[in-house]
Amino acid sequence: MATHLISRRGLLRNAATGSLGVMALGSLGPVALADKKPRDSALKGNVHHSVARWTFDFLSLEELCQLVRQIGFSAIDLVGPDQWHILKRHGIDSSMCNGAEPNLEDGWGDRRFHPALVESYRRHIDLVSEAGYKNLICFSGNARGMTPEEGLANAEEGLKKVLGHAEKKGVTLQMELFNSKIDHPDYLCDNSAWGITLCKRLDSPNFKLLYDIYHMQISEGDVIRTIRENHQYFGHYHTAGVPGRHELDNNQELYYPAIMRAITETGFEGYVAQEFMPSGESNEEKKRSLASAIKTCDV
């Protein structure tokens, strides 16, 4: 199993514990953060930038908050309730909350998990709302022999038990699209058509898809057309390079400036979160890679 999958799964299971190691934050001024070039100006403001907490877990959450502030944005994805106080202290938004899910495999597509999921999601919807946040991640889970239609029917049945509560509390549940080819074998919601069908059946403004560009490039490609034609179902985006899930650079096949222009042209006002695995040898190189990715996506 790939190391980055273990890291994310472990972080999602323990999102409410805040038990990540602390490493010293080096002195990073604007020149270092901009890859040794002075920043031309503040971020353009057309994109609401974020970063996935788990991909920068070589930093404490305190350090990551400082880093994103230095770069010029103010949101972090995939932080659980027990660490929201750290975000609030730094004025950082929890752009995609987590902690309601037991793991990535036991999800809404399997009726056996509905009782526990309903209880957990109702509780976390309350927590998200009380904290003043908007988005809570969810997962289809694995098929385990079910057909796609069986998984859809199960997910629809289960999610309807919590969506009314989410609507009352102003919280949007966002199901992430994963690829099942490389990273998440047997995952049900592994293509945009399955997820969009679920959105249509639920017919709620408080259920959207988290469109992960990295995963969908692997599963189906055709990223820009899919976004343009189905953007109303996408409430959040994740980025990473393909292949390898690393930086948004010239070593990968996606051209992110064009993808980001397509997203902004739809009128999207949600968050785009960097979820790549920084490949630099030093922590300073990894920090600079985040600044570079933000600049690449800041169209």
Coordinates of all heavy atoms in Angstrom, one line a residue, residues 241 246-256 279 292 296:
G241 N -0.7 16.5 -9.3 CA -0.2 16.1 -10.6 C -0.4 14.7 -10.9 O -0.4 13.8 -10.0
H246 N 2.1 14.4 -7.4 CA 3.1 15.3 -6.9 C 2.7 16.8 -7.4 O 1.6 17.1 -7.7 CB 4.5 14.9 -7.2 CG 4.9 13.6 -6.6 ND1 4.8 13.4 -5.2 CD2 5.3 12.5 -7.1 CE1 5.3 12.2 -4.9 NE2 5.6 11.6 -6.1
E247 N 3.8 17.6 -7.4 CA 3.6 19.0 -7.7 C 2.9 19.3 -9.1 O 2.9 18.4 -10.0 CB 4.9 19.7 -7.7 CG 5.5 19.9 -6.4 CD 6.3 18.7 -5.8 OE1 6.3 17.6 -6.5 OE2 6.8 18.8 -4.7
L248 N 2.3 20.5 -9.2 CA 1.7 20.9 -10.5 C 2.7 21.5 -11.4 O 2.8 22.7 -11.6 CB 0.6 21.9 -10.2 CG -0.4 21.6 -9.0 CD1 -1.5 22.6 -8.9 CD2 -0.9 20.2 -9.0
D249 N 3.6 20.7 -11.9 CA 4.8 21.2 -12.6 C 4.8 20.6 -14.0 O 3.8 20.0 -14.5 CB 6.1 20.9 -11.9 CG 6.3 19.4 -11.6 OD1 5.7 18.6 -12.3 OD2 7.1 19.1 -10.7
N250 N 5.9 20.7 -14.7 CA 6.1 20.3 -16.1 C 6.3 18.8 -16.2 O 6.5 18.2 -17.3 CB 7.2 21.0 -16.8 CG 6.9 22.5 -17.0 OD1 5.7 22.8 -17.1 ND2 7.9 23.3 -17.0
N251 N 6.4 18.1 -15.1 CA 6.6 16.6 -15.1 C 5.3 15.8 -15.1 O 5.3 14.6 -14.9 CB 7.5 16.2 -13.9 CG 8.8 16.8 -13.9 OD1 9.5 16.8 -15.0 ND2 9.3 17.3 -12.8
Q252 N 4.2 16.5 -15.2 CA 2.9 15.8 -15.1 C 2.0 16.3 -16.3 O 2.3 17.2 -17.0 CB 2.2 16.0 -13.8 CG 2.0 17.5 -13.4 CD 0.6 18.0 -13.7 OE1 -0.4 17.3 -13.6 NE2 0.5 19.3 -14.0
E253 N 0.9 15.5 -16.5 CA 0.2 15.6 -17.8 C -0.9 16.7 -17.8 O -1.5 17.0 -18.8 CB -0.4 14.3 -18.2 CG -1.4 13.7 -17.3 CD -1.6 12.2 -17.5 OE1 -0.7 11.5 -17.8 OE2 -2.8 11.8 -17.3
L254 N -1.3 17.1 -16.6 CA -2.4 18.1 -16.5 C -1.9 19.5 -16.7 O -0.9 19.9 -16.0 CB -3.2 17.9 -15.2 CG -4.0 16.6 -15.0 CD1 -4.3 16.4 -13.6 CD2 -5.3 16.7 -15.9
Y255 N -2.6 20.4 -17.4 CA -2.3 21.8 -17.5 C -3.2 22.6 -16.6 O -4.3 22.9 -17.0 CB -2.3 22.2 -19.0 CG -1.8 23.7 -19.1 CD1 -0.5 24.0 -18.8 CD2 -2.7 24.6 -19.6 CE1 0.0 25.3 -18.9 CE2 -2.2 26.0 -19.8 CZ -0.9 26.3 -19.4 OH -0.5 27.6 -19.6
Y256 N -2.8 22.8 -15.4 CA -3.7 23.4 -14.4 C -4.2 24.8 -14.7 O -5.3 25.2 -14.4 CB -3.1 23.3 -13.0 CG -3.5 22.0 -12.4 CD1 -2.7 20.9 -12.4 CD2 -4.7 21.9 -11.7 CE1 -3.1 19.7 -11.8 CE2 -5.1 20.7 -11.2 CZ -4.3 19.6 -11.2 OH -4.7 18.4 -10.6
S279 N 7.4 16.6 -3.2 CA 8.4 15.7 -3.4 C 9.8 16.2 -3.1 O 10.8 15.5 -3.3 CB 8.4 15.1 -4.8 OG 8.5 16.2 -5.7
S292 N 4.3 27.6 -5.1 CA 4.4 27.5 -6.5 C 3.0 27.0 -7.1 O 2.5 27.5 -8.1 CB 5.5 26.6 -7.0 OG 5.5 26.4 -8.4
T296 N 0.4 28.8 -9.7 CA 0.0 28.1 -10.9 C -1.5 28.2 -11.1 O -2.1 28.4 -12.1 CB 0.4 26.7 -10.9 OG1 1.9 26.6 -10.9 CG2 -0.1 25.9 -12.1

